[in-house]
Amino acid sequence: MKKLAILAALTVLGACTSNQVKFSVNVLNSDGATMQVKDLLSGKIITSLAGQNELPLSGKADLNALLAVQKEDDNQQQFLFFNDGTPVSIDVTTKELKGSEMNKKINYYNSFLSTIMNRFRDDIKAFDALTPEEQEARMEEFENRIDGYQGAYEDMVQTILKENPDNIIPAAFTPQIAQTLEEEELEAFFASDAPYAKHPYTQSVKQKMDEAEAKYAEAEKAKEESIGKKFTDLEEPGTDGTPHKLSEYLGKGNWVLVDFWASWCGPCRAEMPNVVAAYEKYHAKGFDIVGLSFDKDKDAWLKAIDELKMPWTHLSDLKGWETVAASTYGINAIPASLLVDPEGVIVARDLRGKALGSKLAEIFGE
């Protein structure tokens, strides 16, 4: 899941240097939406058009550049194709793509994987909307469905690799391949002499993954080094919009859990009953919590606080992953937390589930 989280946020940059080739894409049944052709290597929109039910999109890109046809600013549904010079026709309603045999295969693979991911997201969203009691009752069923999606996803990735050992098709699915292969298999994929490994998109994804992993390792090292040190102060607005500093709550004689979370974060919501139970058990003994949210939507943030029954202090600058809390404490995944002693010294990080309860029992006694 860590690789999935990293890749979900990955922006692939770069530039091809091969010959420019004209492409033409006829988009059917767009329902008047603005349709774009995007270069996935550079992330740039090459051309766009709106206002017709049949849209003739054309332009130039590097030979075999990986391009995507999508509705304006919608990365959830993309029709992928390599710019091999063969005209492409796409029906948005039926998801059918006509063109070269290579691009028809890519569309089949991509449609299959996209369908699985959409079902996965829908199930996660529906499960998050349930009450804690409903979640507990349906947990086994939910986990079985998720396992089924994961299995089907991994099987298709293996199929892509097995069916295309000597062409560039796997390059189009480098992020998906990176999510599923074991470390040694992934190293072999990138080091291969096969055409897909040499494609600029594959190489660019590898570069960005290396950079992301280096940044992750640096953040993890910073986390370890922070234990035993005093907390770093920051300021964010409370639920009423009034700015507050962490120093108003930390180092004031109480043990404080600084909890990094978000209303949209499924694992955060799943963990919250443990946090609430710890608060209820030890608050009267000198335990407090300050929640630092990674939300952008204030209404969703406030609603979650109420739904999850979180009676402690909450702060957020409503900047999502750009929140000052992330940069200050090297947070690259949530839920995350700091346990700060009464003098303001960080004594532990990322205590979850039984680990949080055990540590507080050690501090306060049963």
Side-chain angles (χ1 to χ4, degrees), residues 234 236-237 239 258-265 268 272 290-298 300-302 304-305 310 312-326 331 334 336:
L234 58 81
E236 293 189 4
T239 54
V258 181
D259 186 37
F260 305 92
W261 73 292
S263 66
W264 47 260
C265 170
C268 300
M272 208 54 69
V290 176
L292 299 182
S293 170
F294 283 51
D295 275 281
K296 286 186 175 181
D297 185 325
K298 185 172 184 178
W301 174 44
L302 298 179
I305 292 171
M310 303 155 64
W312 49 83
T313 297
H314 292 277
L315 307 177
S316 181
D317 52 16
L318 299 175
K319 294 182 179 179
W321 284 104
E322 300 303 315
T323 175
V324 66
I331 305 300
I334 52 175

Side-chain angles (χ1 to χ4, degrees), residues 2 18 47 125 149 165 194 200-202 206 224 242-243 325 342 363 366:
K2 183 186 79 174
S18 53
T47 186
K125 185 176 181 179
Y149 296 145
Y201 183 71
T202 302
K206 182 180 186 303
E224 289 296 322
T242 303
I363 293 168
E366 293 293 339

Side-chain angles (χ1 to χ4, degrees), residues 238-297:
T239 54
D240 64 355
T242 303
H244 291 278
K245 292 184 177 182
L246 273 183
S247 53
E248 295 177 38
Y249 313 102
L250 276 59
K252 302 296 184 182
N254 281 348
W255 286 85
V256 182
L257 184 75
V258 181
D259 186 37
F260 305 92
W261 73 292
S263 66
W264 47 260
C265 170
C268 300
R269 298 180 73 106
E271 176 65 16
M272 208 54 69
N274 293 325
V275 181
V276 171
Y279 181 84
E280 291 177 345
K281 186 171 184 178
Y282 295 108
H283 179 58
K285 296 183 179 183
F287 173 63
D288 212 339
I289 300 173
V290 176
L292 299 182
S293 170
F294 283 51
D295 275 281
K296 286 186 175 181
D297 185 325

